[in-house]
């Protein structure tokens, strides 16, 4: 693709939808930022599209380590740019994602048990084969790309409305860093962020508790796309700064799955477990509890939930997860 046909960006401006049933449950207006409707199935395309535009123009190809969705974004963008893409995923990523990546034209390598193993291989391939390395969450250009989500939300809400809180899922912390930066750019550093992880993929929560970045022994959650063993340093540093305040919360895999199921029933949208963690903030009563504890204001005003999306889900995968987690 030459410069004249290169689009300004690869992501779309997604809808911000008010959910009547979630608002009723939360006791406050809930707005859903529908990142599941991005071309690659998740918000990842914002940062990865931006990074590839800045870094991969004259490259021989890109290599991305991923739990799945960063890879989907990298494969989509590389195809649009006319570049070959190699995506390295761990063996824990569902076969479904491997197939989707291949359909997108990517070469898929399965290495190691968790994302951190796949990442070591991606770095090696970048070095040996001279490919542009695309990280899934730890890079300033990714955060800059993700940050664009906040002015979009602000524009959709209109001049008189400001979120009472923003809910995000956290894997390696890339989306969180983007949302922090977007809030700063808007001058909204008083808007709290509720960061959601599942137990067993909780590297950010563990870092906040320990007061330093820590490495988890293993990823035991089924939310593999939240499964980085360590959170990126910048996300941890933002948690210490207090502006915007970040409240780190956990749900179980079962709660995340229940959220996926309720979301499907009530909103007619299927998302993966990584996104279910954010939705569970409403469905499992985390927001109400934080209000009771005084960590969030009452009344809260508009609660914005980033529906991060994800491609690692279909009816079969949903049934597999139900079998594993509801028994
Ligand atoms: N997933 C990354 C990292 O995996 C990946 O490679 O796809 N929601 C969804 C649907 C995601 O796919 C991810 C990240 C997140 C939330 C969390 O975003 P992060 O990593 O920027 O905090 C290991």
């Amino acid at each position: 693709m030459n410069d004249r046909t290169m689009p300004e960006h690869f992501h779309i401006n997604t809808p911000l939808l008010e959910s009547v049933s979630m608002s009723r449950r939360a006791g406050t207006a809930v707005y859903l930022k529908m990142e599941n409707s991005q071309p690659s199935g998740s918000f990842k395309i914002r940062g990865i599209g931006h990074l590839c535009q800045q870094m991969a123009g004259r490259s021989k190809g890109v290599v991305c380590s991923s739990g799945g969705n960063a890879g989907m974004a990298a494969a989509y963008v590389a195809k649009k740019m006319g570049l070959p893409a190699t995506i390295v995923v761990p063996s824990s990523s569902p076969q479904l994602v491997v197939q989707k990546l291949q359909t997108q034209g990517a070469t898929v390598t399965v290495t190691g048990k968790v994302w951190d193993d796949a990442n070591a291989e991606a770095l090696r391939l970048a070095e040996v084969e001279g490919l542009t390395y695309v990280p899934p969450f730890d890079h300033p250009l990714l955060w800059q790309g993700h940050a664009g989500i906040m002015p979009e939300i602000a524009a959709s809400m209109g001049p008189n409305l400001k979120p009472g809180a923003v809910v995000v899922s956290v894997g390696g912390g890339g989306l969180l860093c983007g949302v922090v930066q977007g809030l700063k750019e808007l001058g909204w550093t008083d808007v709290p962020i509720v960061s959601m992880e599942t137990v067993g993929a909780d590297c950010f929560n563990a870092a906040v508790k320990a007061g330093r970045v820590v490495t988890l022994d293993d990823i035991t959650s089924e939310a593999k796309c939240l499964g980085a063993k360590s959170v990126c340093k910048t996300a941890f540093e933002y948690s210490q700064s207090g502006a915007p305040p970040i409240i780190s919360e956990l749900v179980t895999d079962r709660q995340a799955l229940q959220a996926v199921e309720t979301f499907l029933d009530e909103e007619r949208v299927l998302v993966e477990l990584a996104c279910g963690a954010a939705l569970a903030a409403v469905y499992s009563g985390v927001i109400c509890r934080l209000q009771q504890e005084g960590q969030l204001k009452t009344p809260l005003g508009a609660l914005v939930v980033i529906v991060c999306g994800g491609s690692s889900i279909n009816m079969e995968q949903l049934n597999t997860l139900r079998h594993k987690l509801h028994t």
Side-chain angles (χ1 to χ4, degrees), residues 256-320:
L257 178 60
Q258 263 159 6
V260 167
E261 291 172 337
T262 311
F263 198 63
L264 178 59
D265 273 350
E266 294 188 355
E267 311 292 335
R268 311 164 317 284
V269 177
L270 181 59
V271 294
E272 69 171 71
L273 223 46
C275 180
L279 302 173
V282 172
Y283 293 132
S284 284
V286 173
I287 299 298
C288 293
R289 175 174 52 75
L290 290 172
Q291 286 183 285
Q292 281 157 16
E293 290 171 2
Q295 296 203 61
L296 288 175
K297 280 188 312 194
T298 307
L300 182 59
L303 178 72
V304 173
V305 180
I306 298 186
V307 183
C308 41
S311 292
S312 297
I313 192 80
N314 59 9
M315 284 309 285
E316 195 185 331
Q317 182 65 16
L318 182 60
N319 282 333
T320 307

Side-chain angles (χ1 to χ4, degrees), residues 42-44 65-71 115 136-137 169-175 224-228 272 274-275 308-310:
S42 79
F43 74 94
K44 289 271 174 186
S65 56
S66 178
N69 294 313
W115 170 81
F137 53 78
S169 291
V170 173
L175 177 60
K224 299 303 174 193
C225 269
L226 300 184
E272 69 171 71
C275 180
C308 41

Side-chain angles (χ1 to χ4, degrees), residues 138-271:
D138 195 2
H139 198 288
L141 288 171
L142 295 179
W143 310 331
Q144 206 179 5
H146 294 335
I149 203 168
M150 285 315 306
E152 260 179 40
I153 290 170
S156 298
M157 292 181 96
N160 301 322
L161 209 52
K162 182 177 165 184
V166 180
V167 180
V168 297
S169 291
V170 173
L175 177 60
L176 177 63
C177 287
V179 169
V180 168
Q181 292 180 6
L183 286 171
K184 284 185 176 177
E185 280 158 28
L186 291 165
W188 285 356
T189 50
D190 55 336
V191 174
I193 299 173
V194 180
S195 76
M196 299 298 299
E197 297 172 282
T198 49
V199 175
D202 46 2
C203 63
F204 180 63
N205 189 265
V208 169
K209 280 183 182 148
R212 64 186 166 82
V213 174
V214 295
T215 304
L216 303 177
D217 291 338
D218 197 6
I219 303 300
T220 53
S221 167
E222 290 298 326
K224 299 303 174 193
C225 269
L226 300 184
K229 283 190 186 174
S230 313
V231 76
C232 68
K233 197 165 140 264
T234 304
F236 171 69
E237 285 167 359
Y238 284 151
S239 77
Q240 303 292 290
S241 91
I246 304 176
I247 305 169
S248 169
E249 289 292 321
L250 298 179
V251 287
T252 62
D253 278 3
R254 196 186 270 222
Q255 286 173 311
L257 178 60
Q258 263 159 6
V260 167
E261 291 172 337
T262 311
F263 198 63
L264 178 59
D265 273 350
E266 294 188 355
E267 311 292 335
R268 311 164 317 284
V269 177
L270 181 59
V271 294

